[in-house]
Amino acid sequence: MTALSKKMTAAVGISLSAVITGCASTDADEPSSPSASTNGAERGSSTYADGEFEAEGWYGNLPSSIEVTVTLADDRITAVKVTPRATDETSLGLQKRFAAAVPALVVGRDIDSVRLDRVAGNSGTPKGFNEAIEKIKAEASG
């Protein structure tokens, strides 16, 4: 490998890392990836009931919403579906891109470690997603 190709490979790795980091974030107090402290099976019991849960999340100045369906097993998200609810084409396009990106970011993670920030060019839609996740956690813990 030439010196130039090594530099290019390093630059691509840094750029990819920045893009991935910018897509989703977790709270500073929470680990960015699942660990023993967030795995219900390793704690010995689950915090949340297993099953499929659905909630609507609202966000924005002109209230927009998305529907979020999550399947939980041992506190981990095993499946997720985001259903766009926007009525105008621009918002609908953003919600569709968000919905397509979310599964790769949250499936397999402990639900308590999931908090999205900016995904697929969306900064508002993740707020609705996070609200829906909080509602789902409340329902699954009751």
Side-chain angles (χ1 to χ4, degrees):
M1 187 178 276
T2 68
L4 178 59
S5 62
K6 285 181 185 178
K7 286 181 183 179
M8 289 176 65
T9 301
V12 168
I14 291 169
S15 296
L16 180 58
S17 175
V19 169
I20 291 171
T21 302
C23 287
S25 67
T26 57
D27 290 330
D29 296 334
E30 295 176 345
S32 60
S33 61
S35 69
S37 65
T38 61
N39 183 336
E42 292 178 21
R43 285 192 306 259
S45 65
S46 295
T47 303
Y48 304 102
D50 291 351
E52 184 175 280
F53 302 89
E54 184 179 296
E56 192 166 20
W58 291 87
Y59 64 94
N61 295 333
L62 296 171
S64 297
S65 70
I66 56 170
E67 182 178 307
V68 178
T69 304
V70 169
T71 304
L72 292 176
D74 295 322
D75 294 349
R76 294 203 174 274
I77 296 173
T78 59
V80 64
K81 180 181 177 188
V82 176
T83 304
R85 300 275 180 146
T87 55
D88 72 86
E89 287 187 42
T90 301
S91 295
L92 184 59
L94 288 167
Q95 286 185 357
K96 285 180 176 180
R97 286 197 335 244
F98 176 85
V102 166
L105 299 172
V106 303
V107 171
R109 293 185 59 192
D110 185 295
I111 192 167
D112 281 332
S113 72
V114 172
R115 178 151 180 82
L116 300 182
D117 184 14
R118 185 172 179 87
V119 177
N122 287 269
S123 59
T125 311
K127 292 175 185 175
F129 178 84
N130 293 335
E131 178 184 302
I133 289 293
E134 290 304 314
K135 290 176 182 178
I136 288 168
K137 287 167 49 175
E139 181 183 346
S141 67

